Amino acid sequence: MLFSKNPTSRFLLLTLTFVLLLSFSININASDPTNTEDDSDDLEQLLALDEQEDQLPEDQDQDQESSSRFSEAEVLSKAQRIVLELNSDNSKRVIDENEFVLLLGYAPWCVRSAELMPQFAEAATSLKELGSPVLMAKLDAERYPKMASLLDIKGFPTLLLFVNGTSQAYTGGFSAEEIMIWARKKTGVPVIRINTVTEAEDFLKKHHMFVIGLFEKFEGSDYRAFIKAAISDNEIQFAEASNIEVAKLLYPYIKATNFLGIVKSEPERYTAYDGTFEMENILQFLDYNKFPLVTKLTELNSVRVYSSPIKLQVYVFAKADDFKTLLEPLQDVARKFTTKVMFIYIDIVDENLAKPFLTLFGLEESKNTLVTAFDNKGSSKYLLQSDPTPSNIEEFCSGLLHGSISTYFKSQPIPDNVRNNASVLAVVGKTFDDLVLNSPKNVLLEVYTPWCINCETTSKQIEKLAKHFKGLDSLIFAKIDASANEHPKLQVDDYPSLFLYKAGDKDNPIKLSTKSGSKELAAFINKQVRPKDQAAKDEL
C-alpha cells in the first residue's frame, strides 16, 4: 500500500487498482496446450439439435436425450447448445461466414468466466427467440491460446463482437438481459416499437428496466434525439409508442406526447425526464437515474458502479440478514438524496468485495454493520463513527453534501511509548500531529511497512542512530507504519523513507537517502540539528 505526495491520490490509485482487479483483466498464460485439440460440434449440428428438440413431444425428450450422440458433458442444456463452441479449426470460418458473432473468451478455471457463462447462455436463448441475427460463440482461450491471441483475447473473460469479421470491444453490462440488450442495439435494434396492449404486456414481462418514449409521430427533432440516445446508450432497452393508452401500460403517469421516462423494478419505479430533448441531456439523465435506490455491489456490476457520474458514494457493509432489516429505511434515506448520493450495499462477509474497501479504513476484520463514503471526485474517504441507524446515516449524508464531515484517515491505537521505554517513538495516525508536526523538537521519522523488504535493515540503522544521539535533547527519533496509519501531511514515495522534520520548519521535511551508511546519516544529522559551535565528530 503506497502513499503518494497527496494522500488522496493514493486512495484513488488503490480504488483504481481494485476496479481493475474486478474488471476481468487477468492475463492469459500463452503457453502451448499439452492436450490434443478435439473438434467441437459444428453450428449446423447444434442448431439442428435445437430444432429437433423444439418439435419433440415432452414425453419423448428423455429418450431423445439418451439416444443423442452428444454427451451430457458436451451439451448441458438447450441454452448452452445455442452457444457455439469454437476451436482452432472452426473459429475463422464461423466468424467470416456470419455477419454478427458475439464471442466469449474464457478459461475453465476462471471464476468470473464461470459466473458470466450462464448469463451469456441465457442471453443467447433470448436472442434466438427474438430472431436476432447474432451468433453467440465461446472459445476456451486456455486450450486454444494461438487462436485466442489471433482473435485478440487478452484476459478472462473477454467479450468481443465481430461484425463482418471485424471485432469491437464489448461495452455493456454482464447480466443476461444487459448482454441481450447490448447485442440487439449493436446489430440494428436500438428501439422496440410497441403498438398494442398485448405487445406492452409482453414487453413488461421481459424487461425489468427500460426507457419509454411517447411520440405522436416518429419524426421530428425530439424523436431524432431519442433515437440517438438509444443508439449511444449501451445498457438500457429503449421502447417507443405513439398510442398514449398503450404507453400508459408501461408508464402510468404519462399525460402528453413527446414524453420520456425510465422504469425500474424497485420502489422508486418511475422517473420522468423533464429536460430538453438532446442526446447528451438524455444520456446524463439515464446515468443519474438508472441505478436502484440501493445498489448491491457484485463483481459483474462493479465497473458500472465505479464509473457512475454520482461521485459521492455511500457504502453500507452488513451481513445479509442484518441488511434485510436495514434495506427499507435505507431506501427512505436514499430517496432524499437522489442524484446526489449513490447508496451501495456490500455483504461484509464477502472477502473479495468487502475486504479491499475495509482495508482502506483499517477495518478489514470487522463483522458488524459499517457505513463509509467515498468522494470519487476529490478521492476522499469518510467513516460513520456513530451507530448505523437510519437517522445517523441521513445526518452523515447531509454532512457529506455540506462538507461538514471530516475526511477519515486510518490509525492504529495510540501506543504507550513511555512504558515501552522506546528509543524510537512509535507514531500512529492519531499522534502524528502531536509527536511530529507540533513537537518543538527536531524529528527524524522512519516510514515503513511490514511487507517492505529493505525496511528491517533501515530500522536497525535508525535504532543504532537513536542510541548514538540519546543525549541530544533537541532530537527525537520516530517511526510510523504507513500500511496502517495515514495523515494528510505524510508525504511518502517509497519504502523505507526517512524524513527530518526540523524544529521551526515542519512543513518542509528533508528527505534522507536510505542508501546512506550510518556514518553519513550521523554526519548529516549533526550538521542539521547541532549548533555549529557544538558540532561533534561522528564516532559511529
Side-chain angles (χ1 to χ4, degrees):
M1 188 178 301
L2 297 179
F3 280 87
S4 66
K5 289 190 175 182
N6 181 347
T8 58
S9 298
R10 181 185 67 85
F11 165 66
L12 180 61
L13 175 63
L14 286 168
T15 302
L16 178 60
T17 302
F18 180 58
V19 172
L20 293 176
L21 289 173
L22 294 176
S23 63
F24 314 124
S25 58
I26 304 173
N27 290 331
I28 290 180
N29 182 346
S31 61
D32 291 332
T34 57
N35 55 326
T36 303
E37 297 182 353
D38 298 326
D39 289 340
S40 298
D41 303 316
D42 285 336
L43 174 62
E44 293 80 3
Q45 295 172 323
L46 296 176
L47 294 180
L49 182 65
D50 288 332
E51 295 301 325
Q52 293 169 12
E53 183 176 276
D54 289 342
Q55 296 169 9
L56 286 172
E58 291 184 5
D59 59 356
Q60 296 181 22
D61 285 353
Q62 186 63 39
D63 291 338
Q64 178 64 26
E65 187 70 23
S66 61
S67 62
S68 173
R69 68 184 183 84
F70 297 102
S71 70
E72 188 69 14
E74 293 170 321
V75 183
L76 299 177
S77 68
K78 179 179 177 180
Q80 289 173 317
R81 287 196 295 271
I82 294 174
V83 179
L84 176 64
E85 184 79 45
L86 300 185
N87 56 43
S88 293
D89 295 331
N90 67 1
S91 293
K92 189 176 186 306
R93 173 174 61 81
V94 168
I95 290 173
D96 289 345
E97 293 180 358
N98 291 274
E99 182 180 8
F100 303 111
V101 178
L102 186 56
L103 174 64
L104 168 61
Y106 71 95
W109 49 262
C110 173
V111 174
R112 295 182 180 90
S113 294
E115 291 174 346
L116 182 58
M117 204 165 293
Q119 302 295 326
F120 190 75
E122 186 179 338
T125 301
S126 298
L127 287 166
K128 184 186 176 186
E129 291 173 350
L130 291 167
S132 171
V134 180
L135 169 64
M136 306 285 278
K138 61 185 178 182
L139 175 73
D140 184 339
E142 184 179 55
R143 187 177 183 185
Y144 305 108
K146 293 180 180 179
M147 181 53 65
S149 178
L150 184 65
L151 296 177
D152 203 29
I153 296 173
K154 298 178 179 179
F156 305 131
T158 292
L159 282 171
L160 296 170
L161 176 66
F162 289 85
V163 181
N164 294 319
T166 301
S167 70
Q168 58 180 270
Y170 178 81
T171 55
F174 296 100
S175 69
E177 183 178 353
E178 289 168 331
I179 295 171
M180 182 266 292
I181 290 171
W182 188 91
R184 294 194 79 196
K185 286 194 173 193
K186 297 303 179 183
T187 56
V189 191
V191 180
I192 296 176
R193 182 168 295 178
I194 299 177
N195 297 309
T196 67
V197 169
T198 301
E199 290 176 357
E201 291 172 343
D202 185 56
F203 181 86
L204 279 174
K205 294 175 183 177
K206 295 179 180 178
H207 298 278
H208 78 282
M209 178 173 68
F210 57 88
V211 172
I212 175 64
L214 174 65
F215 302 91
E216 185 176 355
K217 294 181 179 180
F218 299 122
E219 59 185 34
S221 60
D222 286 1
Y223 180 68
R224 288 193 294 272
F226 174 77
I227 295 298
K228 287 180 181 179
I231 294 171
S232 297
D233 176 79
N234 290 319
E235 301 175 14
I236 307 172
Q237 181 62 62
F238 279 56
E240 63 184 22
S242 59
N243 184 309
I244 191 169
E245 297 305 321
V246 171
K248 280 186 174 182
L249 288 172
L250 304 178
Y251 197 112
Y253 308 108
I254 297 177
K255 295 181 180 180
T257 56
N258 284 35
F259 171 88
L260 184 150
I262 185 171
V263 181
K264 296 174 288 186
S265 58
E266 63 147 3
E268 204 73 4
R269 183 166 174 77
Y270 303 103
T271 307
Y273 175 67
D274 60 2
T276 58
F277 275 73
E278 296 177 2
M279 183 189 72
E280 293 80 6
N281 293 344
I282 294 172
L283 292 176
Q284 185 180 57
F285 164 77
L286 298 180
D287 280 341
Y288 276 88
N289 290 279
K290 64 186 177 183
F291 287 100
L293 289 171
V294 180
T295 299
K296 180 179 180 180
L297 187 72
T298 67
E299 294 187 347
L300 292 180
N301 72 5
S302 58
V303 175
R304 292 174 57 227
V305 170
Y306 301 140
S307 61
S308 169
I310 304 176
K311 299 305 180 184
L312 195 56
Q313 301 183 343
V314 170
Y315 284 73
V316 178
F317 298 86
K319 296 177 182 176
D321 289 341
D322 294 337
F323 186 70
K324 288 178 182 178
T325 304
L326 183 60
L327 176 57
E328 189 171 338
L330 185 61
Q331 287 175 331
D332 292 336
V333 173
R335 192 173 287 110
K336 299 175 182 179
F337 298 94
T338 302
T339 74
K340 295 182 178 67
V341 178
M342 186 174 183
F343 288 77
I344 300 159
Y345 160 64
I346 301 180
D347 187 343
I348 200 168
V349 301
D350 185 339
E351 289 198 358
N352 289 335
L353 289 176
K355 196 166 185 177
F357 282 101
L358 295 176
T359 299
L360 295 175
F361 292 85
L363 301 171
E364 55 268 35
E365 302 303 322
S366 298
K367 298 300 179 185
N368 297 322
T369 301
L370 293 170
V371 177
T372 69
F374 296 95
D375 182 352
N376 292 335
K377 185 176 182 180
S379 302
S380 301
K381 62 181 186 287
Y382 307 88
L383 175 68
L384 174 63
Q385 303 198 46
S386 56
D387 292 337
T389 62
S391 60
N392 286 342
I393 294 174
E394 181 176 346
E395 184 179 351
F396 178 65
C397 293
S398 295
L400 291 172
L401 285 177
H402 294 95
S404 59
I405 301 293
S406 299
T407 304
Y408 179 83
F409 296 96
K410 65 181 177 181
S411 174
Q412 292 175 302
I414 298 175
D416 190 341
N417 287 304
V418 175
R419 176 178 292 182
N420 296 333
N421 195 26
S423 57
V424 179
L425 301 183
V427 177
V428 297
K430 295 176 181 178
T431 61
F432 189 83
D433 282 329
D434 290 338
L435 295 183
V436 179
L437 298 182
N438 298 333
S439 172
K441 299 183 179 182
N442 301 290
V443 180
L444 183 70
L445 179 69
E446 173 198 358
V447 186
Y448 72 97
T449 66
W451 42 261
C452 165
I453 296 175
N454 298 319
C455 286
E456 184 176 355
T457 299
T458 300
S459 294
K460 291 179 179 178
Q461 193 176 38
I462 296 304
E463 289 282 355
K464 186 177 181 181
L465 287 168
K467 292 178 181 177
H468 176 71
F469 287 98
K470 188 175 182 179
L472 187 60
D473 292 336
S474 63
L475 178 63
I476 295 174
F477 285 83
K479 61 182 179 180
I480 185 169
D481 179 356
S483 71
N485 299 280
E486 298 171 332
H487 190 279
K489 291 188 177 180
L490 184 62
Q491 300 180 0
V492 179
D493 295 314
D494 51 17
Y495 304 110
S497 286
L498 295 175
F499 294 96
L500 178 62
Y501 290 81
K502 294 187 68 174
D505 192 17
K506 295 297 179 73
D507 290 334
N508 298 291
I510 302 171
K511 187 172 183 179
L512 287 68
S513 173
T514 56
K515 296 180 180 180
S516 300
S518 298
K519 289 185 177 181
E520 293 174 295
L521 290 173
F524 179 83
I525 293 169
N526 266 320
K527 182 178 179 180
Q528 292 293 327
V529 304
R530 285 188 186 274
K532 291 183 179 180
D533 59 349
Q534 296 182 14
K537 291 184 178 181
D538 179 21
E539 298 178 358
L540 284 177

